[in-house]
Amino acid sequence: MAAASLVTSSTPGVFAPLIRAGDRLRGLRSWRRALAAFAAGLMSALGFAPLGIFPALLLATAILVLLLDGAATERRPVRAAALAGWAFGFGQFLAGLYWVGYAFTVDAAQHAWQLPFVAVLFPGFLALYTAIACAVATFSRRTGSARIFLFAAAYALCEWLRGHLFTGFPWNLAAYAWCAVPGVMQSAVALGAYGLTLLTLLFAASLADFTSARPRAWLLPSALTLVFVVLWLGGEARLAANPPALVPGVQLRLVQPDVPQAEKQMPQLQLRNWMRLLQLSRAPAHTQPTVIIWPEAAPPPFLLQRLPEAMEQVSLLTPGNRVLMTGTVRAELTKTAIRYYNSFFIFSHGGRLIGIYDKFHLVPFGEYLPLPDFLHALGLSKIVDMPDGFGEGPGPQTFRIPGAPAVGPLICYEIIFPDAVVAAQRPGWIVNVTDDSWFGPSTGPYQHLVTARMRAIEEGLPIARDANTGISAIIDPLGRVMASLPLDRAGNLDAGLPKALPTTVYARWGDIGYSLLLVICFLCAFMPPRIVKKA
């Protein structure tokens, strides 16, 4: 430490204050390091929607690297690094995912008692991925630039695992911090969200080297800054070269009824809710819609299966080639029981049902309960009040519809999973129906919208996102929001359908780009020191 301080005090120029700040962070011990990591995690959440302050995520990640540098000097470095990583992850997920708690207040009498446990256990569990990444990054005792590459690779790998293990929850990946910089987001067309996440973590971690007194330590962060400038300029050029274009003859109407979740459950309000859907669908427009879209579970449960009067009204909404798409809850009678599904119906001329899609990526603890016998014994229950939970659909599907390109439906958070949103037969657009009223006036709906924008870029497909309480939006295949309805406002959104782009690199190859970057980072981390020095 004395030697480092001597170098610091004799280092001229702009880097001297940075080096002193870095020394102070590296010098933190025990609970002070954990507290600093937790604060950095809280700060990192500012990088995500709706604020989108991406420098906050970059700076917070660099601080974490400096704290890990200090942990590496401890008697038990792996344990110290894991604790710092967990504190960082806990702060990030606590601030970034607080909105999950709103779902437990909809039926407060039944679920509110679980809220304190969810507020702590859920972000605490997700933070284990960050803890593992930091432990791995410290275990091998890499130094210099090698430690940066190892940290980024380990962190990005754990983020991929977070998106896949235990059904996966890839929410607020580092790539989504670029929501305010559409040019950088365009790199997902080749790298996908996971590849852009890795590059973002590598760039952010490298910023820690601006606080190093090591000769030429500034080279790696400077080079990665240049990389992101190139990505930004290239993305802006791509946006300029692809102005919005519409599919001729297709006019969409997205209906946003804005029914609070608690009111959807009240039998005395179901007729009012149904009539609101019909009125917003029938409202006059300059150009009559050819496709009407209702959000997830928009009609009262089982209404479209049980009441002929409801189907008569649907038939009046679908004259000629007009199509109505809606999320709905349906029941299917089997030989032994009744099975329930969170579904998506497609009606064509005269209310004829031409397509049924069943949600395949169900929300644990929301739409089904893992280990139900054990958890029921503890008094836990799922959020959605449906006997035995929902059944699973077969996966992504593509449906042909009259008067418009083939469509791929997705329900709610199915849109958040990269490389798992499109069937083998590529559609011409995606319809994502959702009901974010579960999460109140929080940051959740804004973050959900960003993930849809990223899927549009990856797949090169436009997305019509229809949400019960918002944010409903038409997104073009470059992730641009062409039209939208704000949160907590009833209305309809009339807009044309953007044209799809040719099959993208990511749509063709998936996470190959991410995998190659991961291998390169691990190779750079474990490259023999002599080779690194020559390079």
Side-chain angles (χ1 to χ4, degrees), residues 249-305:
V250 179
Q251 185 72 13
L252 306 180
R253 168 165 289 184
L254 277 58
V255 173
Q256 184 171 297
D258 191 33
V259 178
Q261 190 58 226
E263 295 183 10
K264 292 181 70 174
Q265 313 301 321
M266 298 179 181
Q268 67 271 27
L269 295 179
Q270 289 187 353
L271 178 59
R272 182 208 69 176
N273 299 341
W274 173 247
M275 293 306 298
R276 184 179 296 181
L277 285 171
L278 296 178
Q279 291 165 2
L280 291 171
S281 301
R282 295 168 178 161
H286 179 70
T287 302
Q288 288 301 309
T290 58
V291 179
I292 299 173
I293 304 172
W294 293 350
E296 178 186 14
F302 319 119
L303 181 71
L304 299 179
Q305 289 182 289

Side-chain angles (χ1 to χ4, degrees), residues 93-176:
F93 294 123
L94 183 68
L97 302 178
Y98 76 92
W99 49 265
V100 173
Y102 274 96
F104 291 81
T105 65
V106 172
D107 184 358
Q110 184 73 18
H111 300 291
W113 69 271
Q114 302 175 43
L115 185 55
F117 299 97
V118 172
V120 175
L121 294 180
F122 185 51
F125 170 75
L126 295 178
L128 292 176
Y129 291 101
T130 318
I132 292 170
C134 292
V136 169
T138 305
F139 177 75
S140 65
R141 296 181 180 274
R142 298 285 93 184
T143 59
S145 296
R147 85 194 195 288
I148 301 296
F149 284 104
L150 181 57
F151 169 85
Y155 201 154
L157 179 58
C158 285
E159 289 291 82
W160 185 92
L161 292 174
R162 175 164 71 90
H164 290 79
L165 296 182
F166 310 111
T167 78
F169 191 67
W171 198 280
N172 280 359
L173 298 172
Y176 300 140

Side-chain angles (χ1 to χ4, degrees), residues 95-375:
L97 302 178
Y98 76 92
W99 49 265
V100 173
Y102 274 96
F104 291 81
T105 65
V106 172
D107 184 358
Q110 184 73 18
H111 300 291
W113 69 271
Q114 302 175 43
L115 185 55
F117 299 97
V118 172
V120 175
L121 294 180
F122 185 51
F125 170 75
L126 295 178
L128 292 176
Y129 291 101
T130 318
I132 292 170
C134 292
V136 169
T138 305
F139 177 75
S140 65
R141 296 181 180 274
R142 298 285 93 184
T143 59
S145 296
R147 85 194 195 288
I148 301 296
F149 284 104
L150 181 57
F151 169 85
Y155 201 154
L157 179 58
C158 285
E159 289 291 82
W160 185 92
L161 292 174
R162 175 164 71 90
H164 290 79
L165 296 182
F166 310 111
T167 78
F169 191 67
W171 198 280
N172 280 359
L173 298 172
Y176 300 140
W178 298 106
C179 61
V181 191
V184 174
M185 287 182 70
Q186 298 307 305
S187 59
V189 74
L191 300 175
Y194 289 117
L196 181 54
T197 290
L198 195 161
L199 276 184
T200 301
L201 291 171
L202 182 63
F203 176 36
S206 73
L207 298 178
D209 273 358
F210 278 131
T211 72
S212 174
R214 194 176 72 252
R216 295 191 299 276
W218 52 270
L219 283 176
L220 180 61
S222 299
L224 288 169
T225 300
L226 180 61
V227 167
F228 271 86
V229 169
V230 171
L231 290 179
W232 171 59
L233 293 175
E236 291 296 330
R238 182 173 188 259
L239 290 167
N242 291 276
L246 300 178
V247 177
V250 179
Q251 185 72 13
L252 306 180
R253 168 165 289 184
L254 277 58
V255 173
Q256 184 171 297
D258 191 33
V259 178
Q261 190 58 226
E263 295 183 10
K264 292 181 70 174
Q265 313 301 321
M266 298 179 181
Q268 67 271 27
L269 295 179
Q270 289 187 353
L271 178 59
R272 182 208 69 176
N273 299 341
W274 173 247
M275 293 306 298
R276 184 179 296 181
L277 285 171
L278 296 178
Q279 291 165 2
L280 291 171
S281 301
R282 295 168 178 161
H286 179 70
T287 302
Q288 288 301 309
T290 58
V291 179
I292 299 173
I293 304 172
W294 293 350
E296 178 186 14
F302 319 119
L303 181 71
L304 299 179
Q305 289 182 289
R306 292 179 178 175
L307 287 183
E309 295 88 347
M311 286 308 304
E312 289 177 10
Q313 291 168 320
V314 168
S315 69
L316 293 175
L317 285 177
T318 51
N321 281 335
R322 182 181 292 172
V323 172
L324 170 66
M325 305 180 185
T326 179
T328 187
V329 176
R330 73 178 186 94
E332 184 177 277
L333 181 63
T334 67
K335 292 181 179 180
T336 58
I338 299 177
R339 197 65 169 136
Y340 301 95
Y341 294 90
N342 188 353
S343 300
F344 180 94
F345 283 5
I346 304 175
F347 298 99
S348 69
H349 175 68
R352 184 168 63 93
L353 184 61
I354 62 172
I356 297 177
Y357 168 83
D358 296 322
K359 187 177 182 180
F360 70 94
H361 214 135
L362 302 176
V363 181
F365 300 97
E367 294 169 318
Y368 76 99
L369 194 65
L371 305 172
D373 294 336
F374 172 72
L375 293 177

Side-chain angles (χ1 to χ4, degrees), residues 254 256 449 465 471-475 481-487 489 492-495:
L254 277 58
Q256 184 171 297
L449 175 64
R465 181 182 193 270
I471 306 163
S472 299
I474 303 295
I475 305 167
V481 176
M482 308 307 298
S484 66
L485 278 173
L487 196 62
R489 181 183 299 176
N492 54 48
L493 178 63
D494 292 331

Side-chain angles (χ1 to χ4, degrees), residues 392-415:
E392 294 182 29
Q397 293 178 264
T398 300
F399 296 90
R400 296 192 178 279
I401 58 175
V407 65
L410 292 171
I411 298 175
C412 192
Y413 96 143
E414 287 181 323
I415 196 75

